[in-house]
Amino acid sequence: MAEQVVQQRGGAATVHAVAAFRASLAAVDVEAMDDHERVALVAELERVKGAASAAQARATDALRRSREVLTPQDAARSVGSEVALARRESPTLGDRYVGLARALVHEMPCTMTALTDGTISERAALEVVRETATLSTQDRAEVDRRLGPDLHRLSWRTAGRAAARVAAELDAASVVRRMEAAVRSRRVSVRPAPDGMAYLTVLGPLREVVGAYAALTRRARSVVGGQDVDEATAGRGVGAVAADTALALLSGRAVGQVQPVEIQLVMTDRALLGTGDEGRSVHEPARVPGHGSVPAPVARSWVHGAGPASVWLRRLYTGPDGRDLVAMDSRRRTFLGGLRRVLVLRDDVCSTPFCDAPIVHVDHAHPARAGGATSVWNGNGRCARCNHVKEAPGWRVTVVRGSPHETETRTPTGHTYRGLAPPLLGWGSTTPATGGAAAAEESALERRIDWLFVSAA
């Protein structure tokens, strides 16, 4: 027992020492250095990041092994989610890091040594591990042995390509099986991009995707070159014509037809119509739930471009400060209809800190089986992964306050993380101050923000 206490104190001392080193970096006086020293500092700090990644990997793998002894049935998913919270990233990336740590610690000593020395980055180590994922332990060790002496010379991309080349040489069959498995995972995904744009990604077999791209480019060049009598360039370049063609074909729209898909916008009546609270700006951005903010002029153009027969306005009522939706309760066991819609609007993305995945499940923070209410206060929007993980032993989600809605996630190791619902119009938006006699006259349903469904009739 005494030895265990000493080990615990030693572990805590290590954590404090690392925290002290991190804090000391803020005191580095770069103004007192010459340019040679500044570049040397940048290089050394890059090595520190690699060494820190190696220490993280060792700690992560030790956590995985410890948890597998205690709760083997829940270890993989639970550890991945807990590591993701600690690293401030999504659960998917947490799972990937747990796998990386296991391979580095137990199967790839040369790569681990290079990472510990800080001569390669975590990204380079990840690429080597990823490209050897389907190999046997012996073949992976051989890749590690061959690349080890040269890793410090390679960029992360080149390191990955080199690992893939050696893997194909050692076990071509496993590489082929991996490619066949990848074909089965083909899919289409969408994610937000800067400046009101979005990425539509088609993951498919190389030859088919390249062929589709070639066909799009060929047609776009034909339009831009004036060889297509059915479509004018209208000042567009090859890339813009190719994108317009792909989106029109995928959505089934004819030229000039309004997009027949419902788009949900959250914006103030002031920004849309110029009416309402004169204290708010007509330029206050709108928000597309799950995708972020768009400038008010762009949102107005979307609404106006859809045509009056295609637009529905639904009023959302908020509390006196204009930040959060007013509570809406339900007697149902599950979150359906308007209640689910309110929660998706409120949380925007998965409410687990740093996850940012789209909301799939709306469920109870305090479980319904334990008497948890089906209410806005007790409801949480989560991705499927996080909703399942919170049911594993040692996990607990608690609602800290209702407005703004804040939850606390407690992990099996006792760490806690706070998650806060964004303002209704998104992070960075402001709410006008209220008070005095005017506030006393206003009811709890004082402010209104319009939620617009924009779709083709």
Side-chain angles (χ1 to χ4, degrees):
M1 177 63 72
E3 181 179 344
Q4 183 179 3
V5 171
V6 170
Q7 290 177 346
Q8 290 175 347
R9 289 176 178 172
T14 299
V15 173
H16 289 311
V18 172
F21 168 71
R22 172 181 54 78
S24 71
L25 294 177
V28 174
D29 186 4
V30 296
E31 298 300 328
M33 300 178 178
D34 58 31
D35 287 349
H36 176 82
E37 292 168 337
R38 291 175 184 130
V39 172
L41 176 63
V42 170
E44 194 57 42
L45 288 174
E46 191 64 25
R47 297 188 68 167
V48 168
K49 288 195 288 185
S53 295
Q56 267 193 333
R58 292 193 296 271
T60 297
D61 187 68
L63 173 65
R64 175 192 62 80
R65 289 184 281 110
S66 172
R67 194 67 60 75
E68 284 179 349
V69 173
L70 298 175
T71 56
Q73 71 277 9
D74 298 303
R77 178 175 287 178
S78 182
V79 170
S81 290
E82 190 162 4
V83 168
L85 284 167
R87 284 170 55 90
R88 306 174 69 86
E89 60 188 15
S90 72
T92 298
L93 294 180
D95 285 346
R96 187 177 72 174
Y97 191 76
V98 172
L100 170 68
R102 182 172 191 164
L104 287 174
V105 172
H106 299 286
E107 300 174 8
M108 311 192 77
C110 296
T111 305
M112 185 62 169
T113 297
L115 188 63
T116 302
D117 292 342
T119 56
I120 65 171
S121 66
E122 181 183 304
R123 182 64 183 271
L126 174 63
E127 290 297 311
V128 173
V129 170
R130 185 175 65 84
E131 294 296 346
T132 59
T134 59
L135 299 182
S136 66
T137 302
Q138 294 77 11
D139 285 342
R140 175 176 262 182
E142 176 62 15
V143 175
D144 181 64
R145 185 190 67 78
R146 287 199 197 181
L147 296 184
D150 296 318
L151 280 175
H152 68 285
R153 310 175 191 275
L154 309 179
S155 68
W156 64 264
R157 196 184 303 276
T158 303
R161 289 172 177 169
R165 183 213 168 277
V166 180
E169 175 187 337
L170 295 176
D171 191 353
S174 73
V175 175
V176 171
R177 289 194 297 271
R178 175 176 174 172
M179 295 176 69
E180 291 173 345
V183 170
R184 293 193 293 272
S185 69
R186 59 191 181 277
R187 59 190 179 274
V188 177
S189 59
V190 63
R191 68 184 190 278
D195 304 321
M197 305 289 279
Y199 297 103
L200 178 66
T201 303
V202 180
L203 178 64
L206 176 64
R207 62 181 181 180
E208 295 183 22
V209 172
V210 170
Y213 176 76
L216 279 172
T217 304
R218 183 166 55 249
R219 186 184 184 284
R221 286 174 178 164
S222 175
V223 171
V224 172
Q227 300 164 359
D228 192 317
V229 297
D230 297 326
E231 186 174 353
T233 59
R236 297 173 297 170
V238 171
V241 173
D244 293 345
T245 301
L247 293 175
L249 290 172
L250 288 170
S251 60
R253 287 182 289 124
V255 177
Q257 182 182 357
V258 176
Q259 174 65 51
V261 175
E262 184 181 84
I263 301 174
Q264 300 178 31
L265 289 176
V266 181
M267 63 190 305
T268 63
D269 49 359
R270 182 73 174 166
L272 174 65
L273 305 172
T275 61
D277 187 354
E278 296 182 357
R280 303 194 79 124
S281 170
V282 296
H283 300 296
E284 193 163 1
R287 177 169 67 89
V288 179
H291 292 274
S293 298
V294 294
V298 174
R300 286 193 290 267
S301 71
W302 288 355
V303 176
H304 296 158
S310 302
V311 178
W312 291 264
L313 303 185
R314 179 171 298 165
R315 292 181 299 182
L316 300 179
Y317 293 98
T318 68
D321 63 358
R323 185 194 190 281
D324 301 289
L325 292 175
V326 172
M328 173 193 264
D329 293 335
S330 170
R331 296 183 181 273
R332 295 174 180 260
R333 166 63 176 80
T334 56
F335 293 88
L336 299 172
L339 179 55
R340 176 185 174 87
R341 190 171 287 156
V342 166
L343 291 171
V344 171
L345 276 172
R346 184 197 68 193
D347 292 339
D348 192 30
V349 294
C350 178
S351 58
T352 300
F354 320 120
C355 179
D356 292 338
I359 293 174
V360 176
H361 295 169
V362 176
D363 203 1
H364 305 75
H366 184 62
R369 62 179 180 275
T374 303
S375 64
V376 168
W377 187 86
N378 192 45
N380 272 259
R382 292 184 179 268
C383 67
R385 159 67 181 271
C386 290
N387 193 42
H388 292 147
V389 165
K390 73 181 181 66
E391 301 297 325
W395 288 84
R396 187 173 75 242
V397 177
T398 306
V399 177
V400 178
R401 57 177 170 170
S403 181
H405 196 266
E406 185 174 15
T407 60
E408 181 180 270
T409 300
R410 185 177 180 86
T411 69
T413 55
H415 292 276
T416 58
Y417 302 86
R418 292 286 182 97
L420 187 67
L424 189 56
L425 290 177
W427 293 112
S429 63
T430 58
T431 54
T434 58
E441 295 175 358
E442 292 174 333
S443 70
L445 304 181
E446 168 241 347
R447 301 198 52 80
R448 188 185 77 239
I449 294 179
D450 285 332
W451 175 17
L452 310 180
F453 293 92
V454 183
S455 64

